[in-house]
Amino acid sequence: MASKERIQRLKEETRINILDAALHIVKEEGWQALSMRKIADVIEYTAPIIYEYFANKEAILLELTRKGYLILTRDLQEVRAKHESPAKQLEAMWLAYWDFAMENKELYQLMFGVEMNCCCDMVATLEESEGPYNEFSQAIIELMHIKNPTKDMVCLKYYTFWSVVHGLISINILRRGYSDEMNQQVLKDAIGTIIKSIERA
Amino acid sequence: MASKERIQRLKEETRINILDAALHIVKEEGWQALSMRKIADVIEYTAPIIYEYFANKEAILLELTRKGYLILTRDLQEVRAKHESPAKQLEAMWLAYWDFAMENKELYQLMFGVEMNCCCDMVATLEESEGPYNEFSQAIIELMHIKNPTKDMVCLKYYTFWSVVHGLISINILRRGYSDEMNQQVLKDAIGTIIKSIERA
DNA sequence: TACTTTTGCCTAACGCTGTTAAATAAATTA
DNA sequence: TAATTTATTTAACAGCGTTAGGCAAAAGTA
């Protein structure tokens, strides 16, 4: 009865194919162009088949969102491990956050609703979505020389970082045209300023 | 032949009704729920009639975008006139920008593609979209004590302001849940910091 | 007044969307 | 071999943006 397992593996493969196909279409033609029938075309099936792997289109988006959070969290962890001081960690992590967004524009759009009607209410239910915050908040706490900072204090600093970086990214995805130098300058300036404000406190 | 004018006025009214109906639907049900047939229902016509007033759905969105930019620009001008010093002007203007976004969430989403597939390429063709930048940049130039700042220098500072404020707004529209105090604290902190950095330069 | 033209508006339709139900073909089990 | 389960497709529904054609009322003209 090893065929059961083989079939199981094939099913798993098709599931992955669906997700890959979706992302492929989006990278080629944008989120607006993604449809169930197009996905079916790519995986060489008809549309209803997809509903045996995902409850609906939103479920596919949610799974891709999850994937995005996993990649981002892994990137942040990797970069964080490369640095000793929390200040350098934080700077490198936010730059990695930027890089993730630029290298995975489509996933970023999906995760944070940039020029896209994402599945935001559902995202809140994904535990993976807490990955980035966990990484950042640890580094923030280390950087603070207060013994037991309240969650609100940490959250406030994270929120400050996140706002400016996410804002910068959103604007760049929206209206491409700002030069790389300007982006890097604003990005590093802002990150540096916030880090200093944490160190001073 | 005054009937020509009367008819012209009625047509103008219907045009406005279409825009009002669209915005009404969006405020009640969100952008996703907006359809030509629903607009037609509200104005008590059938869908094809709308195409005598707007080339397509995107044209309606573009017109609402224009409306948004006009309101925002007016708000900024009003608030700017209330203050003397450029520093106070800038602070008040960015707070007004925030207020505009919170009071006109739907328009803001449309203008800047927050949780929405807006008509961004078209927005670039709207001259009204330059209104906010014009207001802000004037105040920024006044705040700088350099004689002839380059456009890039002004743009960089505007970009810095904009990123953090837009980021804050986007995150708030996306994931409602951050407290008003925290929002105001991050907002005022960030604005103050950028203003000081301009003053020091 | 009678005829023609224009206008205002609607119905029907096309091709697309997400999604579901039913039918069919293939594989598996008894 | 017969019965049953599984895999996959076709057909359909309701909704979308959009267009073409038709009908009835209004306006213009003789």
Side-chain angles (χ1 to χ4, degrees), chain B residues 56-68:
Chain B
N56 47 37
K57 192 182 180 183
E58 201 186 21
I60 298 176
L61 300 190
L62 196 63
E63 191 57 38
L64 288 175
T65 304
R66 220 168 64 85
K67 223 172 146 180

Side-chain angles (χ1 to χ4, degrees), chain B residues 102-193:
Chain B
M102 291 303 133
E103 282 160 27
N104 305 276
K105 279 203 177 81
E106 297 78 19
L107 285 184
Y108 194 90
Q109 287 183 269
L110 177 60
M111 291 157 74
F112 302 109
V114 180
E115 265 275 69
M116 216 236 138
N117 190 2
C118 73
C119 36
C120 268
D121 296 347
M122 286 294 127
V123 171
T125 69
L126 286 180
E127 50 183 320
E128 286 89 350
S129 73
E130 291 166 20
Y133 176 75
N134 291 338
E135 289 304 311
F136 281 118
S137 64
Q138 284 177 41
I140 291 172
I141 291 172
E142 280 182 43
L143 185 61
M144 290 174 156
H145 28 247
I146 301 170
K147 282 276 160 67
N148 292 324
T150 63
K151 279 190 179 175
D152 269 13
M153 289 168 66
V154 180
C155 184
L156 182 79
K157 290 305 174 183
Y158 171 73
Y159 194 28
T160 308
F161 274 119
W162 191 26
S163 295
V164 63
V165 180
H166 172 67
L168 216 54
I169 292 167
S170 301
I171 292 170
N172 258 274
I173 292 177
L174 218 65
R175 319 219 197 292
R176 45 216 165 287
Y178 284 99
S179 71
D180 286 352
E181 301 110 14
M182 199 174 273
N183 283 328
Q184 290 295 318
Q185 194 174 337
V186 174
L187 187 59
K188 287 177 184 166
D189 252 41
I191 294 171
T193 304

Side-chain angles (χ1 to χ4, degrees), chain B residues 12-53:
Chain B
E12 193 57 39
E13 203 175 306
T14 304
R15 210 186 118 89
I16 291 168
N17 284 344
I18 291 171
L19 294 171
D20 286 353
L23 201 54
H24 179 77
I25 292 164
V26 170
K27 283 188 177 175
E28 297 278 307
E29 310 176 57
W31 282 108
Q32 206 167 15
L34 183 67
S35 80
M36 299 299 263
R37 285 173 174 86
K38 270 190 194 168
I39 295 174
D41 268 8
V42 175
I43 63 169
E44 293 179 302
Y45 276 110
T46 51
I49 283 294
I50 303 174
Y51 292 84
E52 287 179 19
Y53 298 87

